[in-house]
Amino acid sequence: MAREYLKKATLTAKSDATETKKIVREILDDIEAGGDEAALKYAAKFDQYDGEIILSEASIAAASALVPEKLKRDIQFAHANVKRFAEAQLGTVNDFEVEVVPGLVAGQKAIPVTAAGCYVPGGRYSHIASAIMTVTTAKVAGCKNIVACSPPRPDVGINPAIIYAAHVCGADKILAMGGVQGVAAMTFGLFGLPKANILVGPGNQFVAEAKRMLFGRVGIDMIAGPTDSLILADSKADPAVVAADLVGQAEHGYNSPVWLVTDSRALAEEVMTLVPELIDDLPEVNRDNATAAWRDYAEVIVCADREEMAATSDDYAPEHLTVQAEDLDWWLDRLSCYGSLFLGEETTVAFGDKASGTNHVLPTSGAASYTGGLSVHKYMKIVTWQRATKEGARPVAEATARIARLEGMEGHARTADIRLKKYFPDEVFDLTAEV
């Protein structure tokens, strides 16, 4: 049985970004040439904000005082979970050395980048959790300079809860600037900030395009598109829970795909009935986003069995993947392409988005087929080193000289020759490239 689409997307998350690229290129070039003054010009234009750019300790304290104690406890709880998980990730990265051949030792060393720029969205939704996810992992990785950047609201500034979260999680500086200008300020080291070695965090299409254009001169976590989510559900799944989880992710934005893959037509049809009802009950902005996402981007697919369901999921390589089906261990072993996996009804994408400990900065638009999400590893350079005794260098030098000559790289070959001649002056070596 082939996949049967009870609902097929009329649009895809890929759109013509020509105009976005043009706008972003002009802004980046202008800010690189004009520095602080140019960045402030764009902040006034797009953020409509002329307040403090680098928040002082007094401003951070004042903003933190505005955050209710209950929310502070929730932020501290989420921070502790993300920190604990990140520390466990850090434990999987080890320095080591190995004797490759007698007398030649090579090794690996993990070195954190010096400066991290963490972008925290604050437009349509105030992404408090993004401050927790990006700043905490940078801190655990060992970055010496961490800048949290978030768009201020006109005449108000950054959401106080974002300020509090960034501060609690370890940001060294908090930059009140949004969009391309904020990304540029971190990259170019404006306003006295260190130049970022890596840019991380979600953002709109302009932020994503700025990161794409700057990649190479700085590292980035990933090139992100609209968030997407897929649910694998069998006949035993609860349609009400499945529908709620689909709607919960569709509210992200008008172009956020959600997909249901199931082997039960009855479940699929019930979910398709429930989703519009749940969407209609949302607040206006959320409702508008979810309505468009469900109408234009959502898909409902019926498969013959769980193997076909798993294969379909791997083809989509979703950012978020939820399994509400029996035999969860089978799914864990079988599935291979996803940003983050949520096994069983007892957990959900929103848990990972906000407070459970795994990171919510994840690959979108099928990128989960080749990469994972943000982790301490993204902030670290895995470098190598080697040293050798004269005897240890001997066989390597012989092989190097011959391979280099076979490639036509005589200069490389002679760096091996000179060592053999110096260390073993009384010996004759065959270092030709003849085959």
Side-chain angles (χ1 to χ4, degrees), residues 306-323:
R306 68 179 187 178
E307 177 55 41
E308 188 173 69
M309 289 168 61
T312 300
S313 177
D314 280 349
D315 285 346
Y316 276 65
E319 176 187 9
H320 309 101
L321 176 56
T322 299
V323 177

Side-chain angles (χ1 to χ4, degrees), residues 20-21 23-33 117 119 149 175 178-190 195-201 205-224:
T20 298
K21 290 179 180 179
I23 292 169
V24 172
R25 181 78 274 162
E26 289 177 356
I27 295 173
L28 288 176
D29 289 346
D30 195 12
I31 293 177
E32 185 167 21
Y119 190 86
C149 168
L175 172 67
V180 178
Q181 61 272 21
V183 171
M186 293 188 290
T187 301
F188 304 143
L190 305 185
K195 290 183 179 180
N197 302 120
I198 187 169
L199 299 170
V200 303
Q205 70 268 32
F206 296 99
V207 170
E209 181 59 25
K211 287 168 64 179
R212 188 192 69 79
M213 287 184 175
L214 292 166
F215 178 54
R217 60 193 299 174
V218 294
I220 63 172
D221 46 3
M222 64 200 73
I223 297 172

Side-chain angles (χ1 to χ4, degrees), residues 90-104:
L90 185 63
T92 68
V93 183
N94 299 306
D95 295 351
F96 70 82
E97 60 182 60
V98 58
E99 191 170 42
V100 179
V101 297
L104 189 148

Side-chain angles (χ1 to χ4, degrees), residues 286-307:
N286 314 63
R287 181 173 66 245
D288 291 346
N289 285 327
T291 296
W294 179 254
R295 180 189 65 229
D296 298 332
Y297 293 89
E299 294 186 336
V300 177
I301 306 168
V302 178
C303 295
D305 52 35
R306 68 179 187 178
E307 177 55 41

Side-chain angles (χ1 to χ4, degrees), residues 64 82 125 131 206 250 273 317 325 347 376 381:
S64 298
V82 173
Y125 304 121
F206 296 99
T273 299
T347 188
V376 293
K381 303 172 290 185

Side-chain angles (χ1 to χ4, degrees), residues 115-121 130-139 143 145-151 162 166 171 173-175 177 182-183 186 196 198-202 211 221 374 379:
C118 304
Y119 190 86
V120 181
S130 287
I132 299 170
M133 302 291 171
T134 58
V135 175
T136 302
T137 46
K139 192 72 174 178
C143 298
N145 296 293
I146 303 170
V147 176
C149 168
S150 191
I162 289 178
K173 298 290 182 181
I174 300 176
L175 172 67
M177 190 168 282
V183 171
M186 293 188 290
I198 187 169
L199 299 170
V200 303
K211 287 168 64 179
D221 46 3
L374 183 63
Y379 298 95

Side-chain angles (χ1 to χ4, degrees), residues 12-15 203-205 208 223-229 252-257 259 297 319-320 362-366:
T12 69
K14 297 176 182 177
S15 60
N204 64 18
Q205 70 268 32
I223 297 172
T227 190
D228 58 68
S229 299
H252 271 288
Y254 73 93
N255 58 350
S256 295
W259 306 296
Y297 293 89
E319 176 187 9
H320 309 101
L362 300 166
T364 63
S365 305

